[in-house]
Amino acid sequence: MPDLVIRNLHANITGTDTEILKGIDLQMSKGEIHAIMGPNGSGKSTLSHVLMGHPGYEVTEGEVLFEGQNLLDLAADERSRAGLFLSFQYPFAVPGVTVANFIRMAVNAHRKGGPDGVDNPVRIPEFRKQILEAMELLHIDKSMASRSLNDGFSGGEKKRFEILQMAMLQPKIAVLDETDSGLDIDALRIVSDGINRLVGPNMGTLIITHYQRILDYVKPDQIHVLMDGRIVRSGGAELAHELETSGYADIAKEVVN
Amino acid sequence: MAPETADIDLGEYQWGFHDEENPVIKIERGLNEDVIRQISAHKGEPKWMLDFRLDAYEIFLSKPMPNWGADLSGIDFDNIFYYLKPAESNARSWDDVPDTIKNTFERLGIPEAERKFLAGVGAQYESEVIYHSLKKELEDQGILFLDTGQALLEHEDLFREHFASIIPSADNKFAALNSAVWSGGSFIYVPPGVRIEQPLQAYFRINAENMGQFERTLIIVDEGAYVHYVEGCTAPTYSSDSLHSAVVEILVKKGGRCRYTTIQNWSNNVYNLVTKRAVAEEDATMEWVDGNLGSKVTMKYPAVVLKGERAHGEILSIAFAGEGQSLDAGGKVTHAAPNTTSVITSKSISKDGGRSSYRGLLRVNKGAEGSKSKVVCDALIIDPESRTDTYPYINIMADQVDVGHEATVSRLGEEQIYYLMSRGLSEGEASGMIVAGFVEPITKELPLEYAVEMNRLIQLQMEGSVG
């Protein structure tokens, strides 16, 4: 069975009848790169947050299996410790909490979540080495380690910080929600390089994007087009270029017909 | 007799246990002239102090209860014990402290902290300081650090010159009460130019039910000298109330500096009504770092009077009000000389229906031209049941002053917590981290050991509130 299996997933905004996801089916495994493309308001970000366990959405139908385990039974922190990661489109600021302390706490939470379930905190020198390496990979200035989480970060710094966390937590499946938005071309190249270095036999990624731009750097195995809460088409990398030239409107017509 | 420590259901509060009582003296409940005479007689005080006490008692009786701030209607003055002497003497060695009491202070980590990083320690249990120490080399430099009652007997002239000179009995009803029945507290004198690099710490422990603790602290920092004094406090959890009403007076002479740090963690049945005021002379600096986590009700507004030119005052306060707690805290600064500066930073957190208020007074007197002040108060509300209020009073009577005031109120965001949880932190860890970050501008001012303790206490409070 694939590592991530999404079957007929329906989700509402919590406490309302507003259905955003209207039956999503998708399967992927570690080592694979999938992209979800779609116009604004199609449900792309909602899908990423429903997978991560955002309290603002409730699943009304369907299931999500992560390595065979029912993901929807888990709280967001348990999903993270199980190996799911979400790079936020709009990360939150937490003043007074430094990047280094936060990532160390997160790393330790993951280590604690291991099979033996006991505290096994990372040793500081080892942690320091790891984070410095990851920061170098992403061309992040060392001074970020002592800044407050996303507090006063530029758009580009926020995105790099998200990928830094991904590098440190080493998820099995990483969902990247509009990681390319707000990045200039140089930053996009650096972040993409970082993603390419991290994707491999132990990690798969689901790239959610509005534009095919990032897909020039991170080559997807499969592309899915999301419209009005459903995946309306899936295909290989060539689908991105088709979309780029003809736009979503043509597909919309196609789907209606 | 074997010491017995009764453990009760602590809930989130770690220090709610109490010891079996074995007092040397315990004066009957309630307050009257005879109780005051007994206290004074037991202490063998000079007559002027008895007269001072009796006069203060008259003032206490004549003043109405405050009709502002927190609700004090639950205080039953007749039900309080005003004096309890727990041990024969004020020991200089922990070995001479009765076992029960020594064990309690060991549980509180005081002897360990003393060994690790303190220059001196005073430990008060009920009404009396039962242990006192000061490093030999500091004693040799002429530093005085002893319990206030002892200072009255041993250094009467110095004591009398300053006692009640900054906070007179008539200052407010609870200052009058303290003046009438005061016992224990710290007396510190730092000679000119002497800097004490490690903190001095006092720890205040209430043990008996319905106890009243009325310590009196007097600190004199002479010219160019420096001291950092830290106080901590806890009490057992009982179903009926106790009362803590202290008075702290500080004089910082020309060019001196005093930092006074409080980590208040009373159990949730203690009324904590404290008057604290410092006078800073020319080029002197006074800093209050005031952390309030415990108590049922707290009313406390550490004050600085900037009396000399270029004096600087700083007040950093944290209030964390949980279920059933009302914390009315803040600060007061009076600019009474030209070119004086002050900063008030207040952070409050309210959760589980708790109520916190910032109440501050900034006053710039006529003639205090060129003064600058900045007031920042931020409130964080954890859940919709909780409440926060801000009462910033500003009174400026001088020209050419620079005064800034900022206030924010924020709510602990579900999405902010979700963001941290998505990285693997539990809900409690996530909310604790957000709160620790919120108070970080203040905890970073604490010595490492206390910053760790403060963050641990906040984490405990937050973990108790979720899941």
Side-chain angles (χ1 to χ4, degrees), chain A residues 49 54 81 86 93 162 165, chain B residues 415-416 418-419 423-425:
Chain A
H49 285 300
H54 192 299
R81 295 196 298 267
L86 171 62
E162 293 293 291
Q165 296 174 64
Chain B
E415 293 201 306
Q416 214 178 11
Y418 159 64
Y419 178 61
R423 302 318 189 217
L425 304 189

Side-chain angles (χ1 to χ4, degrees), chain A residues 124-135:
Chain A
I124 306 263
E126 184 189 335
F127 173 76
R128 200 180 136 74
K129 185 168 167 281
Q130 286 170 357
I131 195 169
L132 287 176
E133 275 170 17
M135 289 173 96

Side-chain angles (χ1 to χ4, degrees), chain B residues 134-178:
Chain B
L134 178 66
K135 283 191 172 167
K136 176 78 172 56
E137 64 265 31
L138 298 178
E139 236 172 61
D140 293 345
Q141 290 178 63
I143 294 161
L144 300 177
F145 177 43
L146 42 134
D147 101 60
T148 308
Q150 197 187 348
L152 166 61
L153 302 180
E154 295 176 13
H155 304 275
E156 190 175 339
D157 291 347
L158 183 63
F159 181 100
R160 200 170 178 176
E161 182 188 346
H162 296 288
F163 181 81
S165 65
I166 292 171
I167 302 173
S169 305
D171 190 79
N172 65 73
K173 189 173 179 78
F174 289 91
L177 175 62
N178 175 282

Side-chain angles (χ1 to χ4, degrees), chain B residues 247-312:
Chain B
V247 165
V248 176
E249 299 175 278
I250 300 178
L251 174 63
V252 192
K253 292 193 180 178
K254 186 176 172 180
R257 179 176 161 215
C258 177
R259 173 171 280 210
Y260 190 110
T261 297
T262 302
I263 298 179
Q264 181 270 105
N265 192 21
W266 293 118
S267 54
N268 290 356
N269 51 295
V270 174
Y271 281 89
N272 182 44
L273 309 164
V274 173
T275 309
K276 290 179 163 168
R277 191 175 303 146
V279 169
E281 293 186 346
E282 195 178 317
D283 294 308
T285 295
M286 176 65 212
E287 298 156 318
W288 296 103
V289 182
D290 202 37
N292 292 291
L293 291 126
S295 82
K296 175 179 186 171
V297 167
T298 283
M299 285 175 71
K300 177 165 49 150
Y301 323 96
V304 187
V305 179
L306 301 166
K307 195 178 163 196
E309 203 164 341
R310 295 175 302 279
H312 178 68

Side-chain angles (χ1 to χ4, degrees), chain A residues 89-179:
Chain A
Q89 183 180 4
Y90 302 111
F92 291 89
V94 187
V97 175
T98 66
V99 162
N101 279 343
F102 169 63
I103 296 184
R104 189 157 56 89
M105 224 174 136
V107 166
N108 285 338
H110 278 247
R111 291 167 68 108
K112 191 177 182 172
D116 50 359
V118 294
D119 266 327
N120 176 27
V122 59
R123 290 171 40 111
I124 306 263
E126 184 189 335
F127 173 76
R128 200 180 136 74
K129 185 168 167 281
Q130 286 170 357
I131 195 169
L132 287 176
E133 275 170 17
M135 289 173 96
E136 202 180 315
L137 175 71
L138 296 164
H139 296 232
I140 293 171
D141 192 85
K142 270 193 288 192
S143 64
M144 185 193 270
S146 49
R147 289 169 67 191
S148 290
L149 228 56
N150 291 313
D151 193 22
F153 283 22
S154 70
E157 283 174 328
K158 284 182 184 172
K159 295 300 169 67
R160 285 188 214 200
F161 174 48
E162 293 293 291
I163 301 302
L164 174 66
Q165 296 174 64
M166 179 178 91
M168 294 299 291
L169 295 177
Q170 303 179 339
K172 293 165 183 160
I173 300 287
V175 181
L176 310 181
D177 187 10
E178 305 262 357
T179 294

